């Protein structure tokens, strides 16, 4: 998006501002005509809230300061789309819908100046390409991070499961060893008791007075 094209974006301002409500209503009228899209919108938000978001978005299209913050704002759109699990191709279709709503108004306003009209349309197309690219790139990066996190989580869960299994095995081994030790100790105690009893009997026999005949 070169500086010359950016300059022509300002020509979109009067068109968007004067037809903002019409553009928003027309856009969502088309979207909600598709049952699947309407159901998705109702599930994640409300049409009124999304209309507010679209109004703000349309106003950025005639912004002539394509700053780092401008691009970051567009990236956040992609991140949100990934978070709400918007189908990947829907934003591209939505961008096409915005063009379909706005281009006729651009042509209507500048039809008497074909040179200016051409430059405005080119500028509009370039800004939409830039926005779409930034949004989709952020969508892909955000999705990729989730995949990485999911893989890390699965690995962690596997490690934890293995650890639990080892602890359980160790506990079972310890229990078996304790049982064997207890049995051995009982046997030793029993043997010791027997030895002690035998020793006491022998002692009594030794000290018992001899019977004279």
């Amino acid at each position: 998006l070169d500086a010359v094209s950016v300059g022509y974006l300002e020509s979109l301002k009067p068109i968007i501002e004067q037809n903002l409500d019409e553009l928003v209503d027309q856009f969502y009228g088309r979207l909600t005509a598709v049952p699947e899209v309407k159901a998705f919108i109702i599930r994640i938000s409300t049409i009124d809230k999304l209309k507010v978001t679209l109004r703000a978005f349309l106003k950025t299209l005639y912004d002539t300061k394509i700053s780092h913050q401008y691009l970051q704002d567009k990236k956040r759109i992609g991140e949100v789309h990934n978070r709400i699990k918007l189908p990947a191709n829907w934003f591209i279709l939505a961008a096409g819908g915005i063009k379909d709503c706005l281009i006729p108004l651009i042509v209507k306003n500048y039809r008497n100046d074909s040179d200016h009209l051409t430059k405005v349309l080119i500028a509009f197309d370039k800004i939409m390409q830039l926005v779409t690219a930034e949004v989709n790139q952020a969508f892909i990066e955000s999705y990729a991070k989730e995949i990485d996190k999911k893989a890390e989580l699965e690995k962690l869960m596997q490690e934890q499961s293995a650890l639990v299994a080892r602890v359980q095995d160790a506990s079972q081994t310890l229990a078996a060893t304790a049982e064997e030790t207890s049995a051995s100790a009982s046997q030793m105690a029993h043997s010791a008791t027997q030895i002690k009893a035998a020793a006491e009997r022998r002692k009594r026999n030794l000290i018992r007075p001899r019977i004279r005949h």
Side-chain angles (χ1 to χ4, degrees), residues 12 15-16 19 22-31 34 54 57-58 61 90-108 121 124-125 128 132:
L12 296 173
I15 299 173
I16 292 175
N19 300 278
E22 177 188 341
L23 285 167
V24 171
D25 289 342
Q26 184 181 358
F27 176 81
Y28 276 106
R30 292 185 178 190
L31 286 188
V34 181
L54 180 59
F57 174 81
L58 290 173
L61 296 180
W90 281 18
F91 181 75
I92 297 175
L93 296 175
I98 290 174
K99 288 183 178 180
D100 290 343
C101 293
L102 197 48
I103 286 176
L105 295 176
I106 297 173
V107 173
K108 180 181 178 181
L121 287 174
F124 175 54
D125 184 63
M128 288 301 295
T132 302

Side-chain angles (χ1 to χ4, degrees), residues 31 37 41 79 81 92 106 139 153 169 184 190 201 205:
L31 286 188
V37 176
I41 290 173
E79 292 169 356
H81 286 178
I92 297 175
I106 297 173
F139 180 95
L153 180 60
D169 289 342
S184 178
H190 179 66
R201 285 196 300 274
N205 289 335

Side-chain angles (χ1 to χ4, degrees), residues 33-210:
V34 181
E36 184 180 3
V37 176
K38 184 176 182 180
F40 182 85
I41 290 173
I42 293 173
R43 181 167 60 84
I44 64 164
S45 184
T46 66
I47 293 176
D48 287 339
K49 287 182 179 179
L50 294 178
K51 282 184 175 182
V52 172
T53 302
L54 180 59
R55 285 190 180 91
F57 174 81
L58 290 173
K59 290 179 180 179
T60 68
L61 296 180
Y62 54 75
D63 194 338
T64 57
K65 295 179 181 179
I66 311 301
S67 62
H68 175 73
Q69 185 59 51
Y70 181 95
L71 298 178
Q72 288 298 114
D73 290 342
K74 300 302 174 283
K75 287 182 178 180
R76 273 193 286 272
I77 295 174
E79 292 169 356
V80 170
H81 286 178
N82 177 60
R83 188 170 66 248
I84 64 175
K85 304 308 174 189
L86 182 79
N89 64 325
W90 281 18
F91 181 75
I92 297 175
L93 296 175
I98 290 174
K99 288 183 178 180
D100 290 343
C101 293
L102 197 48
I103 286 176
L105 295 176
I106 297 173
V107 173
K108 180 181 178 181
N109 274 264
Y110 299 115
R111 60 189 174 188
N112 295 327
D113 187 344
S114 59
D115 182 62
H116 187 76
L117 172 61
T118 300
K119 291 175 179 176
V120 173
L121 287 174
I122 290 173
F124 175 54
D125 184 63
K126 286 183 176 180
I127 193 62
M128 288 301 295
Q129 286 185 36
L130 176 64
V131 168
T132 302
E134 291 294 327
V135 170
N136 285 338
Q137 181 64 28
F139 180 95
I140 292 170
E141 290 176 355
S142 182
Y143 179 74
K145 288 179 182 178
E146 282 192 359
I147 295 298
D148 290 342
K149 288 180 180 178
K150 183 178 179 181
E152 289 178 5
L153 180 60
E154 289 178 349
K155 182 180 178 181
L156 179 61
M157 290 178 67
Q158 289 173 356
E159 291 176 351
Q160 289 178 336
S161 296
L163 179 60
V164 169
R166 287 197 298 270
V167 171
Q168 289 176 341
D169 289 342
S171 297
Q172 291 173 356
T173 301
L174 181 61
T177 302
E179 186 176 349
E180 291 174 1
T181 301
S182 177
S184 178
S186 296
Q187 185 176 0
M188 290 177 64
H190 179 66
S191 298
T193 301
Q194 288 181 326
I195 292 171
K196 182 179 180 182
E200 288 180 350
R201 285 196 300 274
R202 183 176 178 80
K203 181 179 180 181
R204 285 196 298 271
N205 289 335
L206 289 173
I207 64 174
R208 180 181 299 170
R210 292 181 180 180

